[in-house]
Amino acid sequence: MPDIKQQISELRASALKELDGLSQAKELEEWRIGYLGKKSRLTELLRSLASLPIEERRELGQASNVLKTELEAVFKNKEHQLRCGELVAAGEMMDVTLPGRPFPAGHLHPVSQVLSEISDIFAGMGFQVVEGPEVEWDSYNFDALNIPPEHPSRDNMATFWLDSPPKEPEGWRMLLRTHTSPMQVRTMEQVAPPVRIVVPGRVFRYEATDATHLAMFTQIEGLAVDRGISMADLKGTLFEFARRFFGADRAVRFRTDFFPFVEPGAEMAIECAVCRGGGCRLCGGSGWIEILGAGMVHPRVLERAGIDSTVYSGFAFGIGIERIPMLHYGIDDIRLFYSGDLRFLKQF
Ligand code: YSA
């Protein structure tokens, strides 16, 4: 009896080992005949049990049948495997066990990423996000913002004018907006105070490019109008924004500036990320990078938009977006954002 047990065990080992090495349907058929066929070693072994005493016959018969069931199962499995392999090779079936092919998904441009991050920060402070037209009337871009045609500050904003007939009867002319500030007026014309909005979008200026200037760049405008709004609200809002975006350890400079549509006016600069205030090419040696203009909305702008300036006051600001990731990551040339160089863009 130990001899037959041994034979069953050896038979099992050799059957499984051989099966493992098979790769062709023809070889598999030979294996089936050799191990499970009518003249196979297993069939012979089962036959030989007939001469054994009943007790041994029962035990060994059971062991042989277990082996037979196992060999039939592994055969079926292998047959299925080989069949699938043939179908996959013929392109008729997909091998779902293969690892997936990487899908080259893109991601948002760094400027878009920063824009949505900044919008989120202001949304968290109660500002609503709205958008406005990139092609604008000079009336909204300049006149309604207290910049009449002869005003010298129009020179600061070299303008791309559109070759289109003036809008009558006012004689308005069409241009590519030079800042997002026209949306201050458009919003105040439509919505009664209290107003709290931010306006992300592209702006255009007819000017030479350098490490910190582009002819097309992005701004985000902010406007808050309500009873009792003061310069303290403006400063508090902008310092909170700088703290949330740049972190508490970055120095912030807040000082007076002039814009015809605010009174008083201010500008905010952040400590240069490259030189940390020491002076370098990016910050023009000053150690600071100006990121926004701001101020208390001029009473004339409020009145022109139909808001009573004796009851309401407001603050506004306009942030240059590209300069923000420059400061954040220490990028020393603004032109990289629009160079289309994937080696640069993939880093964000
Ligand atoms: C001021 C007062 C307000 O109550 C509201 C908004 C403003 C900002 C004003 N409309 C404006 O456009 N001011 S600005 O000409 O100084 O530009 C604002 C920011 O845009 C700058 O601080 C700078 O960060 C960025 N910027 C200006 N010219 C740029 C530029 N970024 C890239 N390329 C240029 N050419």
Side-chain angles (χ1 to χ4, degrees), residues 24 35 51 56 68 77 101 125 158-159 288 305 329 346:
Q24 308 277 333
Y35 285 100
S51 56
E56 288 181 23
K68 189 172 178 217
N77 221 343
R101 287 193 201 117
M125 292 197 253
T159 310
W288 297 98
Y329 299 115
K346 276 182 175 169

Side-chain angles (χ1 to χ4, degrees), residues 184-206:
Q184 287 188 30
V185 184
R186 283 183 178 274
T187 307
M188 287 190 285
E189 277 180 353
Q190 309 238 326
V191 184
V195 172
R196 271 174 192 72
I197 52 151
V198 283
V199 190
R202 266 181 301 190
V203 302
F204 309 83
R205 292 190 194 172
Y206 183 59

Side-chain angles (χ1 to χ4, degrees), residues 145 156-157 178-182 184 203 205 207-208 210 212-222 257-259 261-262 265-268 289-297 315-324 334:
L145 289 166
N156 290 344
M157 295 191 183
T178 58
H179 52 172
T180 40
S181 302
Q184 287 188 30
V203 302
R205 292 190 194 172
E207 59 182 64
D210 61 27
T212 51
H213 290 85
L214 291 166
M216 185 218 76
F217 59 101
T218 320
Q219 288 189 338
I220 188 163
E221 190 81 9
D257 199 352
F258 170 75
F259 300 96
F261 36 100
V262 287
E267 61 125 81
M268 194 163 111
I289 294 193
E290 178 206 317
I291 58 157
L292 63 87
M296 297 304 293
V297 182
F315 69 73
F317 56 86
I319 309 176
I321 296 298
E322 284 78 2
R323 292 188 187 172
I324 306 278
I334 197 169

Side-chain angles (χ1 to χ4, degrees), residues 265-342:
E267 61 125 81
M268 194 163 111
I270 308 285
E271 181 187 50
C272 177
V274 172
C275 62
R276 284 286 170 155
C280 66
R281 180 173 96 103
L282 176 62
C283 58
S286 72
W288 297 98
I289 294 193
E290 178 206 317
I291 58 157
L292 63 87
M296 297 304 293
V297 182
H298 199 291
R300 255 186 244 157
V301 175
L302 291 173
E303 295 290 340
R304 183 148 179 170
I307 292 178
D308 186 346
S309 65
T310 61
V311 177
Y312 294 103
S313 57
F315 69 73
F317 56 86
I319 309 176
I321 296 298
E322 284 78 2
R323 292 188 187 172
I324 306 278
M326 289 176 83
L327 281 164
H328 209 48
Y329 299 115
I331 298 162
D332 66 359
D333 197 321
I334 197 169
R335 289 166 289 198
L336 285 166
F337 287 113
Y338 301 106
S339 63
D341 188 340
L342 289 178

Side-chain angles (χ1 to χ4, degrees), residues 10-327:
E10 281 171 8
L11 193 60
R12 180 178 183 277
S14 75
L16 295 182
K17 189 166 173 234
E18 265 180 47
L19 187 78
D20 200 37
L22 303 186
S23 60
Q24 308 277 333
K26 195 169 147 264
E27 294 168 346
L28 181 64
E29 182 55 12
E30 282 164 12
W31 182 93
R32 189 191 65 75
I33 295 167
Y35 285 100
L36 292 165
K38 280 189 187 138
K39 292 183 184 160
S40 67
R41 283 165 64 194
L42 185 59
T43 313
E44 271 169 28
L45 201 137
L46 279 163
R47 263 190 220 122
S48 70
L49 300 181
S51 56
L52 293 176
I54 179 97
E55 273 307 303
E56 288 181 23
R57 201 188 317 155
R58 185 177 300 136
E59 190 188 335
L60 292 170
Q62 206 174 18
S64 313
N65 279 324
V66 166
L67 176 61
K68 189 172 178 217
T69 313
E70 185 185 356
L71 293 187
E72 280 167 354
V74 291
F75 166 79
K76 281 236 166 312
N77 221 343
K78 187 77 179 186
E79 189 181 38
H80 179 71
Q81 234 179 31
L82 293 182
R83 177 79 191 120
C84 288
E86 280 167 16
L87 290 174
V88 169
E92 287 169 27
M93 194 176 138
M94 185 178 71
D95 183 354
V96 292
T97 64
L98 285 176
R101 287 193 201 117
F103 183 71
H107 62 72
L108 284 180
H109 188 278
V111 170
S112 304
Q113 290 179 31
V114 170
L115 207 53
S116 69
E117 211 176 311
I118 294 178
S119 301
D120 281 353
I121 290 177
F122 284 108
M125 292 197 253
F127 287 75
Q128 213 180 329
V129 182
V130 297
E131 287 186 45
E134 290 176 2
V135 176
E136 187 53 282
W137 298 112
D138 58 351
S139 164
Y140 281 108
N141 197 83
F142 295 126
D143 303 73
L145 289 166
N146 201 27
I147 313 176
E150 70 287 353
H151 199 289
S153 87
R154 285 209 187 192
D155 298 344
N156 290 344
M157 295 191 183
T159 310
F160 288 109
W161 293 95
L162 270 87
D163 192 9
S164 65
K167 182 173 184 260
E168 299 305 347
E170 305 93 336
W172 292 355
R173 291 174 62 208
M174 221 179 238
L175 48 76
L176 295 183
R177 66 178 176 190
T178 58
H179 52 172
T180 40
S181 302
M183 270 307 282
Q184 287 188 30
V185 184
R186 283 183 178 274
T187 307
M188 287 190 285
E189 277 180 353
Q190 309 238 326
V191 184
V195 172
R196 271 174 192 72
I197 52 151
V198 283
V199 190
R202 266 181 301 190
V203 302
F204 309 83
R205 292 190 194 172
Y206 183 59
E207 59 182 64
T209 59
D210 61 27
T212 51
H213 290 85
L214 291 166
M216 185 218 76
F217 59 101
T218 320
Q219 288 189 338
I220 188 163
E221 190 81 9
L223 172 72
V225 183
D226 205 345
R227 289 168 196 264
I229 291 219
S230 72
M231 193 77 179
D233 298 310
L234 168 64
K235 205 172 165 189
T237 305
L238 293 179
F239 273 62
E240 180 57 15
F241 154 69
R243 192 187 67 78
R244 288 196 198 177
F245 191 87
F246 295 105
D249 62 327
R250 272 316 250 295
V252 175
R253 188 184 71 186
F254 194 76
R255 62 182 188 181
T256 54
D257 199 352
F258 170 75
F259 300 96
F261 36 100
V262 287
E263 180 55 39
E267 61 125 81
M268 194 163 111
I270 308 285
E271 181 187 50
C272 177
V274 172
C275 62
R276 284 286 170 155
C280 66
R281 180 173 96 103
L282 176 62
C283 58
S286 72
W288 297 98
I289 294 193
E290 178 206 317
I291 58 157
L292 63 87
M296 297 304 293
V297 182
H298 199 291
R300 255 186 244 157
V301 175
L302 291 173
E303 295 290 340
R304 183 148 179 170
I307 292 178
D308 186 346
S309 65
T310 61
V311 177
Y312 294 103
S313 57
F315 69 73
F317 56 86
I319 309 176
I321 296 298
E322 284 78 2
R323 292 188 187 172
I324 306 278
M326 289 176 83
L327 281 164

